[in-house]
Amino acid sequence: MRVGVLSLQGAFREHLKVLDSLGVSSRKVTRPEHLDGLDSIILPGGESSAMVRIAAGTGLFPALGDRIGAGLPVFGTCAGLILLADRLTDDSLDGFDRLGGLDVTVARNAYGRQRESFCASVQVSGFEEDYEATFIRAPQIVENGAGVEVLGQLGEAPVLVRKGNIWGGSFHPELGTDTRIHEQFLGAQVGGRSERACAATVPAASANEFLSAGPIGGSHR
């Protein structure tokens, strides 16, 4: 299995570290040709407005959109969720290519500013114990379309969803040491759970470091 990580901006290095800890081959993706040979792709958190501007004119998003439409599994986290959402509550990214494909409406920065970032226990389908999720200027899923499966909730609000091959999350699963979210995404591609079950950990930066530091590669939007 080879997993790509969109590496235009944001927390792509942290996702690469998680994949490496799980023994999964990975590749940075910045151009259309980097999509060849991938079995899936992760879109990291960061600044969605920066990502769409960097991608503009490269042909990457149209090519990636075609692959996703043809069934390539994709997981968008935080800003990655914004790129995948069919609808946004504002027009701040109008005029730039996004990806779409996930039938949800998303509000950017709905969980507050950088200083209001937080960690919270999330109930995730299939997990015996709650998942401690990190929300940094996180987007909120305010509406689900038909056929969208809610996999994780914070209170009554969906924060992890899936429709077919497209996954989206409001939080940062690459921060901290709990790799269960990545394993769930990867395991779905092979019809079962990863051999390295929920006990696996990754020596990544702690969530507290990111909450107290500045935004990853810019603001989280």
Side-chain angles (χ1 to χ4, degrees), residues 17-39:
K17 288 178 182 178
V18 174
L19 294 170
D20 182 65
S21 78
L22 296 174
V24 176
S25 176
S26 61
R27 173 194 297 163
K28 294 180 182 179
V29 174
T30 59
R31 302 191 62 81
E33 56 266 30
H34 298 161
L35 300 171
D36 293 341
L38 294 183
D39 297 296

Side-chain angles (χ1 to χ4, degrees), residues 2 6 12-13 28 39 42 56 66 68 83 98-99 102 104 113 121-123 130 133 140 148 156 175 177 192 202-203:
R2 174 167 288 180
L6 184 69
F12 60 89
R13 295 178 185 86
K28 294 180 182 179
D39 297 296
I42 294 172
D66 288 345
I68 294 170
L83 297 179
R98 290 189 299 113
L99 293 166
L102 184 58
V104 296
R113 298 180 179 275
S121 294
V122 171
Q123 297 175 338
D130 286 355
Q140 185 175 25
V148 174
E156 297 299 319
L175 301 183
T177 60
V202 53

Side-chain angles (χ1 to χ4, degrees), residues 94-110:
D94 282 2
F96 293 94
D97 285 334
R98 290 189 299 113
L99 293 166
L102 184 58
D103 188 8
V104 296
T105 301
V106 166
R108 298 170 72 230
N109 299 328

Side-chain angles (χ1 to χ4, degrees), residues 41-211:
I41 187 167
I42 294 172
L43 315 180
E47 186 179 358
S48 56
S49 56
M51 292 179 186
V52 297
R53 286 170 170 79
I54 295 169
T58 67
L60 175 58
F61 280 6
L64 178 53
D66 288 345
R67 301 288 182 105
I68 294 170
L72 180 71
V74 57
F75 183 18
T77 67
C78 198
L81 167 65
I82 293 169
L83 297 179
L84 290 172
D86 279 346
R87 298 170 300 278
L88 302 179
T89 59
D90 63 55
D91 59 0
S92 55
L93 300 185
D94 282 2
F96 293 94
D97 285 334
R98 290 189 299 113
L99 293 166
L102 184 58
D103 188 8
V104 296
T105 301
V106 166
R108 298 170 72 230
N109 299 328
Y111 283 103
R113 298 180 179 275
Q114 180 77 20
R115 65 177 178 271
E116 297 165 318
S117 300
F118 63 96
C119 294
S121 294
V122 171
Q123 297 175 338
V124 178
S125 176
F127 289 4
E128 294 182 1
E129 298 181 358
D130 286 355
Y131 180 88
E132 192 71 9
T134 303
F135 295 81
I136 303 176
R137 299 193 67 178
Q140 185 175 25
I141 300 168
V142 297
E143 183 182 40
N144 297 333
V148 174
E149 179 183 4
V150 176
L151 299 176
Q153 292 180 272
L154 178 61
E156 297 299 319
V159 294
L160 180 65
V161 298
R162 172 177 66 191
K163 185 172 184 180
N165 59 306
I166 305 176
W167 295 51
S170 295
F171 54 90
H172 283 263
E174 76 283 5
L175 301 183
T177 60
D178 191 339
T179 63
R180 287 180 293 167
I181 298 293
H182 285 81
E183 292 184 58
Q184 187 182 52
F185 172 64
L186 298 173
Q189 299 171 46
V190 295
R193 297 178 65 186
S194 166
E195 291 181 1
R196 295 185 62 180
C198 299
T201 60
V202 53
S206 72
N208 286 335
E209 290 178 27
F210 283 89
L211 292 176

